[in-house]
Amino acid sequence: MKLYFDAERHLKHNDGNLQKRIFDDKRLTNPKHVFALVYSTIKYKDHIEHVIKKSRIQRDLKIKISDALLALLVHDLLFSSRGRIESGKHPIKDAVLAHKTRLQAEFIKLKLKHKVKSVEQLPTKENDDETPVRWFRINTVKIDPERFNQKHKFFSKLQPVNRFQELTQPGLIYQDDHIPNLFGIHPKEKLSQTEAYKLGEVIIQDRASCFPAHILNHNKEHIKIIDACAAPGNKTSHAASYLPQDENAVVYAVERDEKRVKILRTMSERALGKNKKKLIQVLHNDFTKTNPQDFADITGLIVDPSCSGSGIFGRASDEEENNDQRLEKLASFQVVIMKHALSFPSASKVVYSTCSIHAEENERVVIDLLSDRQVQSQGWKLATRDEVLPSWERRGIESEFVALSRDPEICKQLAGGCVRSNPKEDGGIGFFAACFVRKKNDGAEDCEDENEKDDEDGDGDEWSGFD
Ligand code: SAM
């Protein structure tokens, strides 16, 4: 039982760097084994506690055992690959094994509940909540990237790697290939303690969530833009960083929710500093109630509406949260808010995004919009891939666009106007963005001409919907 008593000590006092603490403990004969046990027990802590609680063995144990020790023993019995308590005969071991059948029954129920076959497939804090990479961008509104490295030695000391997958430990840094001034580091890196973070010269923002502002204005062609659903303001401040040098340059950041408006204001002030205050104007308003005619000089919009959030870790498997009805409701709201954005008289580009992985909120919203007569008559198309982060490989789901065209080439082109990011696999949250464009003076007539042009086989039902 020595292994378990040693591990119990460290599990009870789980503060600071666990690995360092265990390997520095001179009393341990096998620190590697103790660390693996404590680490894995912490990883499955919620599940272990659930099994212990449901089996009610604490009530019936013949010997008093601390919660930490019991968790370690249950871990080895059920959650380890060996499936046994690693000790010779001992009254504590016997007391737990007396309830082995009950524990095993609850363990099976747990796996059924999560629809998994093995322990590794169980959701854990580690695999649910943690981003595989901590992404941050240099806030170019506040500091020139050239000056950044000279000023902030913390970052220049990090070792560059070529792929974000190589960020296996602190001390490394990856410069993103797709978004300028965006970097990835190990999530355990103490970024929030750096001076750069405290000064607002770096902003923590998931990589995919940086796509909309980049797609909208990487050419710096839009001087006045609207972020229609702005709080807490990550995309707003990123969009501000793409504004050209122009005294009229502004992001109108619209937010409906009163509490969130406050957060948006604080975030915007922090991101801009005193001198650039005018770059963001916060409007506490329901975007769908704004009058597009009051914003006749707006040429670009970002619409990042409320969504199921299924791309955010830990939420995808929550079936209750994402049932069909809820998705349907969200999708119709997303179409409404997008239609409003597309009705701004001078708008030539609108980027739609969600942190959802569901086609209902993504490609199908795009399809609904492209099929809408009003949207068509306003001249809107889906941008082609070369305008929408062309270097990013994962695009929209082609098969979804069969709803618009039976031509696989057209489906591919439409999907090319969208980008997707898969949670974890692509280094961050699950995300979707699509870009709508129209040329100046595009209207109903142009739209109809396009329809005729695309309907080459004359069957009347092929409409390309892309620019
Ligand atoms: N774009 C934000 C960012 O990157 O920090 C996140 C936006 S969050 C997904 C959606 C936001 O839209 C919420 O703060 C919500 O209150 C707001 N919202 C929802 N409906 C709205 C509406 N009709 N008008 C304005 N804001 C709205």
Side-chain angles (χ1 to χ4, degrees):
M1 286 294 288
K2 181 174 178 327
L3 165 70
Y4 296 104
F5 294 137
D6 285 341
E8 180 190 15
R9 252 194 346 268
H10 286 284
L11 187 60
K12 272 184 174 169
H13 305 286
N14 178 28
D15 48 9
N17 184 332
L18 180 72
Q19 190 167 12
K20 186 173 182 309
R21 192 154 40 77
I22 291 179
F23 281 87
D24 284 353
D25 184 347
K26 296 283 172 277
R27 289 167 293 179
L28 303 181
T29 40
N30 192 345
K32 219 165 139 186
H33 198 165
V34 173
F35 175 70
L37 172 58
V38 176
Y39 181 84
S40 184
T41 305
I42 293 169
K43 183 172 166 185
Y44 296 111
K45 183 170 168 276
D46 290 350
H47 298 306
I48 295 170
E49 283 175 0
H50 176 85
V51 168
I52 292 172
K53 191 172 160 217
K54 289 279 172 191
S55 64
R56 299 179 172 191
I57 73 162
Q58 271 166 315
R59 193 189 54 183
D60 301 332
L61 277 172
K62 291 264 180 315
I63 293 181
K64 192 160 169 40
I65 305 175
S66 75
D67 290 349
L69 185 55
L70 185 59
L72 291 160
L73 296 169
V74 171
H75 170 273
D76 269 10
L77 189 61
L78 303 174
F79 290 77
S80 73
S81 53
R82 290 170 304 277
R84 62 187 174 84
I85 296 174
E86 294 195 63
S87 107
K89 206 167 160 44
H90 193 284
I92 291 181
K93 179 179 173 183
D94 293 345
V96 174
L97 288 183
H99 304 289
K100 188 176 171 182
T101 316
R102 251 198 271 169
L103 286 166
Q104 275 173 334
E106 289 306 329
F107 181 56
I108 290 167
K109 279 195 224 162
L110 177 85
K111 286 198 284 186
L112 286 174
K113 183 178 149 203
H114 289 282
K115 298 195 181 85
V116 299
K117 290 196 174 114
S118 67
V119 171
E120 292 73 36
Q121 292 169 315
L122 283 169
T124 61
K125 280 261 174 300
E126 187 182 62
N127 63 26
D128 262 8
D129 301 343
E130 257 183 37
T131 179
V133 177
R134 172 82 55 236
W135 295 99
F136 71 89
R137 57 180 172 83
I138 297 176
N139 180 11
T140 55
V141 174
K142 270 195 166 169
I143 187 163
D144 186 321
E146 297 288 323
R147 213 164 72 77
F148 182 85
N149 266 344
Q150 294 159 11
K151 182 172 173 188
H152 299 293
K153 294 288 173 232
F154 171 85
F155 298 92
S156 47
K157 278 187 195 145
L158 299 174
Q159 187 71 32
V161 293
N162 293 322
R163 299 163 62 239
F164 78 80
Q165 290 89 342
E166 291 169 36
L167 295 168
T168 50
Q169 59 189 49
L172 306 169
I173 188 162
Y174 163 74
Q175 174 153 22
D176 189 50
D177 292 333
H178 308 280
I179 304 291
N181 303 307
L182 180 73
F183 298 84
I185 51 175
H186 192 270
K188 296 227 156 62
E189 202 81 71
K190 299 213 169 8
L191 180 60
S192 53
Q193 289 173 18
T194 61
E195 198 204 7
Y197 177 81
K198 288 176 188 159
L199 292 171
E201 292 179 349
V202 297
I203 292 178
I204 295 177
Q205 185 171 358
D206 180 84
R207 167 165 69 177
S209 135
C210 294
F211 290 173
H214 180 82
I215 294 170
L216 181 73
N217 213 12
H218 60 279
N219 289 337
K220 296 192 179 249
E221 59 195 317
H222 302 279
I223 298 171
K224 290 192 172 195
I225 62 179
I226 286 183
D227 184 352
C229 298
N234 276 329
K235 293 180 192 73
T236 307
S237 64
H238 194 214
S241 76
Y242 282 98
L243 290 173
Q245 294 279 355
D246 187 303
E247 58 176 275
N248 296 314
V250 66
V251 184
Y252 292 103
V254 187
E255 173 56 49
R256 180 177 64 177
D257 185 277
E258 196 175 343
K259 273 195 197 140
R260 291 173 69 88
V261 163
K262 286 187 188 138
I263 302 170
L264 176 63
R265 286 214 167 92
T266 313
M267 293 275 281
S268 303
E269 278 163 22
R270 192 177 138 79
L272 299 180
K274 278 185 198 135
N275 302 336
K276 306 270 178 79
K277 260 184 180 170
K278 277 167 45 190
L279 280 186
I280 297 176
Q281 281 195 37
V282 174
L283 305 176
H284 180 199
N285 208 345
D286 180 334
F287 175 66
T288 59
K289 305 267 161 59
T290 55
N291 180 359
Q293 304 306 326
D294 293 343
F295 296 90
D297 47 2
I298 292 292
T299 56
L301 294 97
I302 293 175
V303 182
D304 182 46
S306 308
C307 70
S308 64
S310 58
I312 296 171
F313 316 132
R315 291 206 212 162
S317 59
D318 197 334
E319 282 166 20
E320 268 169 72
E321 284 264 300
N322 294 319
N323 61 35
D324 291 351
Q325 251 181 343
R326 180 165 183 255
L327 289 183
E328 213 175 287
K329 234 171 117 185
L330 282 165
S332 26
F333 155 73
Q334 289 151 354
V335 169
V336 167
I337 202 160
M338 265 303 284
K339 277 190 74 174
H340 190 68
L342 296 172
S343 71
F344 278 62
S346 307
S348 59
K349 201 187 248 190
V350 178
V351 180
Y352 171 70
S353 64
T354 71
C355 52
S356 164
I357 53 170
H358 298 301
E360 287 89 335
E361 299 176 87
N362 299 332
E363 288 85 354
R364 293 186 204 168
V365 167
V366 171
I367 289 166
D368 276 2
L369 291 166
L370 291 175
S371 316
D372 186 278
R373 278 279 147 209
Q374 189 189 332
V375 173
Q376 288 175 14
S377 68
Q378 288 163 338
W380 289 102
K381 310 272 170 69
L382 208 54
T384 50
R385 177 171 174 158
D386 55 331
E387 293 173 81
V388 189
L389 210 64
S391 61
W392 182 260
E393 279 309 317
R394 201 180 302 285
R395 314 306 294 191
I397 301 171
E398 283 175 32
S399 58
E400 289 291 338
F401 289 99
V402 170
L404 283 181
S405 169
R406 281 176 278 135
D407 181 341
E409 202 41 48
I410 291 178
C411 291
K412 188 174 174 193
Q413 293 194 47
L414 287 165
C418 314
V419 282
R420 262 184 178 265
S421 139
N422 284 355
K424 304 259 165 175
E425 190 186 355
D426 292 332
I429 61 169
F431 199 80
F432 175 88
C435 178
F436 289 80
V437 285
R438 69 172 167 185
K439 295 199 179 76
K440 268 196 190 118
N441 305 324
D442 257 7
E445 260 182 39
D446 294 340
C447 193
E448 271 161 28
D449 288 350
E450 280 292 316
N451 290 350
E452 276 165 29
K453 219 169 40 189
D454 291 329
D455 187 16
E456 277 171 359
D457 61 2
D459 63 2
D461 64 355
E462 295 283 326
W463 175 66
S464 78
F466 59 85
D467 193 18

